[in-house]
Amino acid sequence: MDITELNATLGNYILHEPVRAANIFQSVCDAAVRTLSLIAEYQTEAQIHVVLKVTHLPDLPGYHLSLSEFPLDYRSQRLYMMEGTVTAMSTVNKYTQGARFLCSDTKCPLSKDFRYIRIHTPGATESATVRQDFFCDLCASPLKEDVKYRVLGDKQVIEFIDSEALRIFQGQCATNDNYRFQSYVVFLRDELIDRMKIGGRYRVIGIPICGLYGSQVAVCIEANNIHPYIVRSPLTISKAFQKLHSKTLYSPWIFPGILANVFAAQVVPVGLHNTLKLCILLSLVQTCNEDKEIGNPLDLMVLTNDTLIVDRLMRYSICLVPRGVCHTHFNDIFATVTKDELGTGTAIIHAGSALMAKAGVCFIGDINMNKKEKLDHLSSVLESRNTNVFIPGKKYGDYVDLQILISVQCNFWSYIDLSTKKCNTKEPTYIGQMDLSAIPSHLIDAFGMLIYCSQISHMYPDVSLVQHSLKRAVNPGASFSLAAQIFTTQDFEELIAYAKNLHVTFSKKANTLIHSYYLASRRVRTDPNGSKILTSALRHLASMSEAHAKLSLRTVVTEEDALVAILLFEASLTLKHGNITFYIASLLFILFVPYYIVCVCVYIYI
């Protein structure tokens, strides 16, 4: 913008003819070097290499690149801006940034100077910069490279996909229009190396090039500059939720209780599986924006013999956040390594479902569908929030094996189908305990929340669920309940986006209550083999307390938020280990009475 104000023609060259603009800057630098005698052995303008880095482009349609539009403007070598997500990235390797050539005839005057210098141009391959078929302009003798003057730089290959394709990972059905999302390659060089992370979302300024890479013709982007994509969070919530929140300020429990009751009324009857829906809402507000490191994730594991409803509810819920991914079992959860198809010979890491769900939710589905090796890997990732990718050097043309650590920044949801033969092997030893012998115990402990959802109870007969499903099948877009009409899906999207960005602090009373409960539980649930309560339980309690405060639209975690977290966590421990042996009737009374009041208020409201 500054250059355009000084000279509109030069500004136009930078935007639409960056190669020509670089030549202009090269000539200016050449004049300055000659006039001021800045370089002692300076001979020719070709010794100066100019790279123009553009910070931004005008936010106009003509500067946005869309691969779905035809014809593609990849011949003009002009700058475009594009938004997308990194689906794969290669290891860093070298490329020739510049090379000096000399005439092979020693009697030729051009066998000693710096006349023949080739530098990398946008989109050029290694063979285009350094070749054996160059000839001298003076004597037509072959040119040979002076290897000691070769300048090397770092290069990285990125696979980029349009941001609109993220909804495909959510498992959403396509509309009447047909879409085809295809990834394209972005080349990062020199100071842009490691500026992009796998699974991240970015704005890239670059030059589209169509050329032969390896054995295929492809459209690639030569990156000029990179900016992280920052999602703008809403400043407020819908009027329906504002009105509901203002009427329930006198109680710390009623607002989230009503939210849980009416949530997902578009896919399940109102009041069905309220505990699960509350935990889903708590997990959703514990996601974060992509430009921030995830703080306190909240993972969910559901025990159920009603997998149809649970699966439908979770698939609906992951669409309420921008980065919800539904994992398919023929893909890898984390990452896979293959050889780069563009002819570089290096390894390229492909993002799995969890890495594509960065700052969102990865819905794994039935945990029994995965093999033991994948479950062990999942357990270690849940504990460390990192995954290791091993790249053997011999296989991918390197001398050294690489071990790359990738951060996993998402919440995990899964369920266990109790109706399978695998899950009904023995009778529980303790009252309230579920038979979880089919699933590794360390995997169950790694999940923050364990929830039990039985079949439809007598309060919600099968007829209501059947009627709801039939109405949805006949008229998918209609609302069949008053709750679905008052609180729409978009309202919940705005509420979650607003609540998850609240900055929450812990009160002293909440901290004291959480730590006291944690210490007491460790003392009580201890046997000769050690305590059954892991140290990660404290982190899960803090995460649930923080999530309940956010869902209640508060910025301070109160004692009431900690009580809800303890109630939910105690129910989870009971499913794992059975009821505790000491007398806690008074504690359970304190915990259950407020939620009983919530349920009564919810029914009156509905």
Side-chain angles (χ1 to χ4, degrees):
M1 291 175 61
D2 296 334
I3 293 178
T4 304
E5 291 179 1
L6 294 174
N7 190 312
T9 303
L10 181 58
N12 187 66
Y13 285 160
I14 294 174
L15 290 176
H16 304 102
E17 299 180 60
V19 176
R20 183 176 180 180
N23 293 333
I24 295 174
F25 278 89
Q26 185 183 40
S27 299
V28 173
C29 293
D30 172 68
V33 170
R34 291 184 183 276
T35 304
L36 302 176
S37 301
L38 299 178
I39 303 175
E41 298 181 358
Y42 180 73
Q43 295 180 6
T44 177
E45 183 179 313
Q47 290 178 260
I48 297 176
H49 180 37
V50 175
V51 180
L52 299 179
K53 291 296 181 183
V54 182
T55 57
H56 296 79
L57 293 181
D59 194 11
L60 298 172
Y63 296 94
H64 288 267
L65 177 68
S66 176
L67 294 186
S68 61
E69 296 179 359
F70 185 84
L72 295 174
D73 187 11
Y74 52 75
R75 295 185 181 273
S76 64
Q77 291 195 343
R78 54 161 290 191
L79 293 168
Y80 284 93
M81 179 173 60
M82 59 221 76
E83 294 179 1
T85 304
V86 178
T87 60
M89 63 191 310
S90 72
T91 55
V92 178
N93 61 337
K94 297 294 182 180
Y95 81 103
T96 301
Q97 195 178 70
R100 177 195 182 191
F101 289 84
L102 299 173
C103 182
S104 58
D105 188 357
T106 57
K107 297 180 181 180
C108 180
L110 301 182
S111 63
K112 297 180 181 180
D113 63 6
F114 289 88
R115 177 179 178 87
Y116 298 113
I117 295 178
R118 291 187 61 82
I119 61 172
H120 170 79
T121 57
T125 59
E126 187 75 7
S127 59
T129 306
V130 181
R131 298 204 309 261
Q132 303 296 326
D133 56 350
F134 297 131
F135 297 93
C136 179
D137 295 335
L138 186 61
C139 65
S141 298
L143 297 180
K144 62 178 181 180
E145 182 189 357
D146 189 354
V147 182
K148 65 181 180 181
Y149 280 96
R150 178 181 287 195
V151 180
L152 299 179
D154 293 329
K155 178 182 69 174
Q156 192 174 28
V157 179
I158 301 292
E159 282 193 13
F160 213 51
I161 196 168
D162 194 278
S163 299
E164 292 294 326
L166 292 176
R167 59 188 178 88
I168 303 300
F169 291 97
Q170 295 176 334
Q172 297 184 15
C173 297
T175 59
N176 295 330
D177 299 328
N178 294 322
Y179 295 97
R180 181 175 184 265
F181 295 104
Q182 182 174 345
S183 63
Y184 50 96
V185 174
V186 178
F187 285 100
L188 306 182
R189 303 186 191 272
D190 304 320
E191 70 273 7
L192 296 181
I193 294 298
D194 293 331
R195 287 272 299 276
M196 303 177 78
K197 304 298 181 183
I198 191 166
R201 191 172 175 183
Y202 299 90
R203 283 192 176 99
V204 175
I205 298 174
I207 300 175
I209 303 292
C210 183
L212 182 64
Y213 297 93
S215 59
Q216 59 182 338
V217 176
V219 176
C220 302
I221 308 297
E222 184 82 13
N224 184 276
N225 213 332
I226 301 168
H227 298 286
Y229 180 83
I230 300 176
V231 180
R232 294 182 179 179
S233 59
L235 300 177
T236 184
I237 58 177
S238 66
K239 293 183 178 180
F241 280 132
Q242 289 181 17
K243 183 178 180 182
L244 176 62
H245 186 255
S246 63
K247 290 184 177 181
T248 56
L249 289 175
Y250 58 88
S251 171
W253 291 293
I254 292 184
F255 182 70
I258 294 178
L259 291 181
N261 191 70
V262 301
F263 177 64
Q266 291 79 7
V267 294
V268 295
V270 174
L272 183 64
H273 296 327
N274 278 359
T275 302
L276 173 59
K277 291 193 290 185
L278 175 62
C279 293
I280 287 176
L281 287 172
L282 295 179
S283 181
L284 289 174
V285 298
Q286 277 302 88
T287 58
C288 64
N289 289 334
E290 298 172 29
D291 58 324
K292 300 178 182 178
E293 293 291 331
I294 193 166
N296 295 317
L298 184 56
D299 307 311
L300 305 181
M301 171 73 78
V302 183
L303 307 174
T304 182
N305 47 19
D306 191 9
T307 57
L308 176 64
I309 299 301
V310 172
D311 187 84
R312 180 188 299 174
L313 186 58
M314 288 189 164
R315 288 177 184 271
Y316 167 82
S317 301
I318 62 173
C319 298
L320 301 179
V321 289
R323 299 296 294 272
V325 173
C326 183
H327 173 67
T328 53
H329 296 288
F330 51 82
N331 292 332
D332 198 278
I333 300 178
F334 299 106
T336 55
V337 180
T338 61
K339 194 170 185 178
D340 181 23
E341 298 178 354
L342 296 178
T344 61
T346 57
I348 188 165
I349 305 170
H350 296 270
S353 301
L355 298 182
M356 289 304 298
K358 182 178 181 180
V361 176
C362 178
F363 174 44
I364 301 175
D366 189 356
I367 204 73
N368 290 320
M369 299 295 292
N370 297 278
K371 296 181 179 179
K372 184 179 183 301
E373 293 78 10
K374 287 189 175 182
L375 295 182
D376 293 339
H377 189 192
L378 175 61
S379 177
S380 65
V381 171
L382 287 172
E383 294 174 359
S384 64
R385 293 290 156 175
N386 294 305
T387 179
N388 285 308
V389 178
F390 177 72
I391 302 177
K394 293 182 179 179
K395 185 176 180 180
Y396 298 103
D398 202 350
Y399 297 103
V400 182
D401 296 339
L402 292 178
Q403 190 84 14
I404 299 178
L405 186 68
I406 302 176
S407 176
V408 179
Q409 302 175 353
C410 69
N411 295 342
F412 290 90
W413 294 355
S414 184
Y415 62 82
I416 300 175
D417 187 2
L418 298 178
S419 62
T420 60
K421 297 179 180 179
K422 187 189 297 186
C423 294
N424 294 318
T425 56
K426 63 179 181 179
E427 291 294 328
T429 306
Y430 300 100
I431 298 176
Q433 184 181 12
M434 301 295 296
D435 178 22
L436 305 176
S437 57
I439 306 298
S441 59
H442 58 85
L443 176 62
I444 296 176
D445 291 334
F447 277 86
M449 272 301 301
L450 196 63
I451 307 145
Y452 175 61
C453 291
S454 61
Q455 289 182 343
I456 309 302
S457 65
H458 64 280
M459 297 179 63
Y460 305 101
D462 294 345
V463 176
S464 62
L465 182 59
V466 171
Q467 290 178 347
H468 188 277
S469 300
L470 290 175
K471 289 179 180 178
R472 286 183 67 248
V474 174
N475 193 358
S479 299
F480 305 111
S481 65
L482 180 62
Q485 297 175 7
I486 298 176
F487 307 112
T488 63
T489 300
Q490 184 178 355
D491 292 340
F492 273 100
E493 288 181 9
E494 295 175 356
L495 175 69
I496 293 168
Y498 175 81
K500 73 178 185 180
N501 286 289
L502 294 175
H503 179 67
V504 176
T505 58
F506 278 79
S507 65
K508 186 177 180 179
K509 290 185 177 180
N511 266 327
T512 303
L513 181 59
I514 291 173
H515 283 81
S516 300
Y517 168 78
Y518 169 72
L519 294 175
S521 296
R522 283 185 64 86
R523 291 193 188 101
V524 171
R525 288 190 169 94
T526 300
D527 54 22
N529 298 324
S531 178
K532 299 178 181 179
I533 310 299
L534 303 178
T535 56
S536 59
L538 192 60
R539 185 181 74 246
H540 298 323
L541 286 167
S543 179
M544 283 187 285
S545 303
E546 181 180 332
H548 192 270
K550 289 181 179 180
L551 190 61
S552 304
L553 306 182
R554 291 193 296 266
T555 57
V556 177
V557 178
T558 62
E559 197 174 14
E560 290 79 8
D561 298 318
L563 284 174
V564 175
I566 292 173
L567 173 63
L568 295 174
F569 192 74
E570 183 65 34
S572 178
L573 291 179
T574 301
L575 294 174
K576 298 177 188 177
H577 311 297
N579 286 326
I580 54 180
T581 55
F582 76 108
Y583 184 70
I584 58 166
S586 58
L587 174 61
L588 292 179
F589 177 80
I590 293 174
L591 295 175
F592 275 112
V593 165
Y595 257 79
Y596 175 79
I597 297 173
V598 170
C599 293
V600 173
C601 294
V602 166
Y603 284 120
I604 294 174
Y605 179 84
I606 297 301

